[in-house]
Amino acid sequence: MKDQPVAGGTQAVASVQTVAPTGFKQRFGAFMRKFLRQKTAVAAAVIILLLFVIAIIGPLITPYNPSKPDYDALMEGPSVKHLMGTDEYGRDILSRLIYGSRLSLSVSLSAVMIAAVLGTALGLLAGYYGGWLDRLIMRGSDVLFSFPDLLLAIGIVAILGPGLINVVIAVAVFGTPSFARIIRSVTLSAKENLFVEAARSMGATNARIIWRHIFPETVPAIIVNISMRIGGAILAASSLSFLGMGASPSNPDWGAMLSMGRDYLSIAPHIVYFPGLVIFLTVLAFNIFGDGLRDALDPKMKS
Amino acid sequence: MTERLLDVQGLVTEFKRGSSHIRAVSDVSFHINRREVVGLVGESGCGKSVTSLSLMRLLKDTPGRISGGKVLFEGRDLVKLPEKEMRHIRGNEIAMIFQEPMTSLNPVLRIGKQLEEPLTVHLGLSRSQARERAIDLLRQVGIPRAEEVIHDYPHQLSGGMRQRVMIAIAIACKPKLLIADEPTTALDVTIQAQILELIRKLRADNDMSVLLITHDLGVVAEMCDRVIVMYAGRVVEEGTVQELFANPRHPYTKGLIQSVPKLRQKVRRLESIPGNVPDLSQMPQGCKFAPRCAYATERCHQEEPGLIAVEGSTGRKSRCWLANEQTWEERGAVTDGQAG
Amino acid sequence: MDKLVEVKGLKKSFLIQKGLGAKRYLQAVNDISFTIRRGETFSLVGESGCGKSTTGRLVNRLLTPDSGEIWFEGKDITKLSERAMRPLRKHMQMVFQDPYASLNPRMKVKDLVAEPLIIHTKLSARERDMMAAKLLEEVGLGSQHAERYVHEFSGGQRQRIGIARALSVKPKLIIADEPVSALDVSIQSQVINLLQDLQEEHGLAYLFISHDLSVVEHISDRIGVMYLGSLVETADKDTLYERPLHPYSQALLSAVPVPDPNVKRERIILSGDLPSPVNPPSGCRFHTRCPSCMEICKQRVPEFREVEPGHYVACHLYDEGAQAGGKS
């Protein structure tokens, strides 16, 4: 008997409240309300925004040319002149980090975007058609999943040869299975919607059903996963550069900066500290932002 | 006059939506006599379920609250009763069954356990006595193999059987009033017939009153002595089942009865009520039914009628300015004999 | 008369348990046959789990039958591929019970209504919008709603949108699966009237699937009664409601509550519950609940026979030499 009040109560309420809003404006409004309630996620969003602004207007605000050596100021510690000090060639670390943000963000963003497109396509196909196609795609992604992420990327770069383009490819390849899996599971539940059966009964082709009726249902999951993967992609790209498999050391890449700096760790630790700190903060911000996004887009969370 | 078991006077229940309060039930008054079956009829959103939850004071887990009126049960006002005494009334003197028994039964407890709990708590029976009584109750509600069913979990039973179990729990403490909220809506017709038959039998055996909440006029006609029709959170008509069906005095009741297809009726076209039920937050001024009413006059759109007593019959009321007019089409012919 | 749909000996079961242990099948539809004529309303009526919705989805081949035949306009469509079915679905549109779930909430009303036009015609976007506006007017919604989303509408209005959509490509058959069951009484009659008006206007045939015997009587020309996957009786409306032959049809009809307190009827109350379709009873599937069950009913499946012109029933009571049948 104890459960009765709750059960009966919610029924009654449902008849009083209006139905969940589904128009784009209302849904976006509800999403913003839920997102803005999460203080840390909002802070993360601000950091990310700042990062993008810096990356875009970088050349306008850098105090020094990031590639120009200054042999009068080798490995200087932080000072008013060089806020983050200089590296072993006397290049301004702050300027290099600002230029590096363009590189790191564009490498990781393009890698994640490629992974998202590939993974979503594979996930939609596997989830919608099922059968042998599903098994093929899912076993393939299981194989990729069974490698430790970085090892896989190292393997790919080892085969393709070092270089930024190949880093993008490697990071994209190991990001694809995660999209495929998530989008497959969303597709499996989305295709149970009655409006999907209705579309079939009208005579809609599979392509139309997937594109018009199922893909829109997967968009929130795609957005969330993109934001969650960017952090990892920055880390992976940096790691590859650190290992000398990505950007050439002369490029102001965060990972490459770390790599170069480690030889001087004992005498000039600031060369490593600042790139390390920036990588850490960026990855953290993207992960928190992704979590916040997921919670705000989750229909089970109350507004 | 027969004794009143339940007397609801001017009940108002409001729900919070955003910063404003929405009246789901406004100024609802009706009574239930002892051993009487009263039907509370209306379409979804008319406030009939909220009314029943208000009677039981079961709104606590919802954004709703009773903001006015009295609910007199054997002379005591349930609205003002302390929660502890109210708990005693619930289940013990007033019991309730719902449309979907699965949501009201605990899925992880065996049927026997759920039946015995109120018996040990409310009636102070020992465990073996409670077990015996539980089996007896299941037999009373027509469950075959009762001594096996008490070991089953709710999901092992069919919908009809679950509703029987709910009824068994409800009548366990011999309540004086059974509130049945759409008890057969989720069931098939042949099972519905079984359950209605059961409720009728139990009412007679246990001297119970029944408040039957339903949208199904067929169920009302078969089960009820008296009918209360609700629309937009208000009582719009009240009367005995015979009078109400033969001679509805509110245009909404009339439209409702005419819009249901009936067996062997052989009409080419159904009458229907145009338009939709108004949203509770955007109620029209004046009579709430006026925008859909074929007989609405200027006055109806301006001024809301109260419950007007229908002349020539006792206890018949209609919330319509035309309740005692003979101007409706067909009306004169139907009512001449009775209303004079 | 001109047959639009002919269904012969249709069977469909669903696999419900895989993996360990024996595979178990749910027999949803078991050997049913019926025809739908052009412009008529043929109803399938029965209680939950009787297979009426599955039958509807077999007719337009959303599901593929295990055996049996489906003919549409003189063409055998039983074995057609999905690709070959698609153009045919233009002629056999569907209206669903749940107007909330069957309309994509992310699409505007005009796009929902025009979707079959996108699929089956080469009309331009402008022409489609005009058609959608016209259809919305026809179903009594008004074209001013074209730009809105479905969540802004009530159940009855949504069902009108669903009907407008089905109508857009001028089908010959509309399969309506419990189209008014989710609606309030006063709205239900509006939608029933609309369905009848449209039938008159466009010469549509309906396969009307419902559990509500009063609604079915009102709207149908002919009716099939289903029980546990089988068709137990088929007849035209007046015959069925005045002289139901099958004991199940009789019980079903007597169980309908009549909204008239002066009518007191002899009610046949069936004992027990619906048996599980996974493990259906032997012989006649209704024998476990049948008030006039005989020995033969437990053993032999009754044949679906025409006992008088157009009146089919599957019951041993009406076997040739019926009384002898019970003893043999």
Side-chain angles (χ1 to χ4, degrees), chain B residues 69-88:
Chain B
K70 288 179 184 169
V71 178
L72 299 175
F73 180 73
E74 297 192 306
R76 276 184 297 173
D77 187 0
L78 299 187
V79 175
K80 297 208 172 62
L81 225 52
E83 184 57 30
K84 201 179 148 201
E85 282 176 54
M86 194 60 216
R87 267 203 296 273
H88 178 78

Side-chain angles (χ1 to χ4, degrees), chain B residues 24-45:
Chain B
V25 171
S26 37
D27 190 22
V28 161
S29 304
F30 64 93
H31 68 274
I32 302 172
N33 295 327
R34 284 190 196 276
R35 287 180 290 283
E36 192 181 31
V37 181
V38 174
L40 196 56
V41 189
E43 300 178 286
S44 49

Side-chain angles (χ1 to χ4, degrees), chain C residues 8 30 37 64 85 105 120 128 157 163 180 188 194 231 233 242 248 257-258 311 324:
Chain C
K8 296 179 196 163
N30 188 33
R37 298 167 193 147
T64 299
M85 261 318 286
H120 293 289
R128 286 199 307 263
Q157 292 172 317
I163 292 169
V180 296
Q188 185 172 310
L194 174 65
L231 210 48
E233 185 164 1
E242 263 150 35
Y248 178 65
V258 183
H311 194 168

Side-chain angles (χ1 to χ4, degrees), chain A residues 29-40:
Chain A
F31 159 74
M32 282 310 282
R33 271 197 306 282
K34 283 196 253 185
F35 185 79
L36 290 177
R37 268 201 328 227
Q38 307 177 63
K39 297 279 168 347
T40 46

Side-chain angles (χ1 to χ4, degrees), chain B residues 4-8 34 55 70-78 81 89 92-94 175-177:
Chain B
R4 287 186 178 189
L5 178 68
L6 184 80
D7 199 350
V8 181
R34 284 190 196 276
L55 301 187
K70 288 179 184 169
V71 178
L72 299 175
F73 180 73
E74 297 192 306
R76 276 184 297 173
D77 187 0
L78 299 187
L81 225 52
I89 298 241
N92 219 351
E93 305 201 31
I94 307 178
K176 293 168 184 150
L177 174 65

Side-chain angles (χ1 to χ4, degrees), chain B residues 44 158 190 194 264 268 273, chain C residues 47 184 190 217 270 273:
Chain B
S44 49
S158 68
T190 57
Q194 294 173 357
R264 305 318 299 150
R268 178 70 195 88
I273 307 175
Chain C
E47 299 178 285
D184 271 323
Q190 295 174 2
E217 187 196 12
L270 290 177
D273 270 330

Side-chain angles (χ1 to χ4, degrees), chain B residues 43-44 158 161 188 190 192 194 218 221-222 242 259 261 263-264 267-270 272-273 275-276 292, chain C residues 47-48 154 184-186 189-190 193 197 200 214 217-218 238 241-242 257-259 262 267 270 272-273 289:
Chain B
E43 300 178 286
S44 49
S158 68
M161 282 297 152
D188 282 319
T190 57
Q192 164 169 290
Q194 294 173 357
E222 304 224 338
Q242 301 286 347
S259 61
L263 290 182
R264 305 318 299 150
V267 292
R268 178 70 195 88
R269 250 187 107 73
L270 294 171
S272 66
I273 307 175
N276 291 291
R292 303 176 72 190
Chain C
E47 299 178 285
S48 51
S154 68
D184 271 323
V185 193
S186 68
S189 56
Q190 295 174 2
N193 285 340
D197 291 347
E200 226 156 78
S214 316
E217 187 196 12
H218 182 80
D238 290 328
Y241 280 76
E242 263 150 35
V258 183
N262 295 313
R267 168 159 296 161
L270 290 177
D273 270 330
R289 299 172 75 194

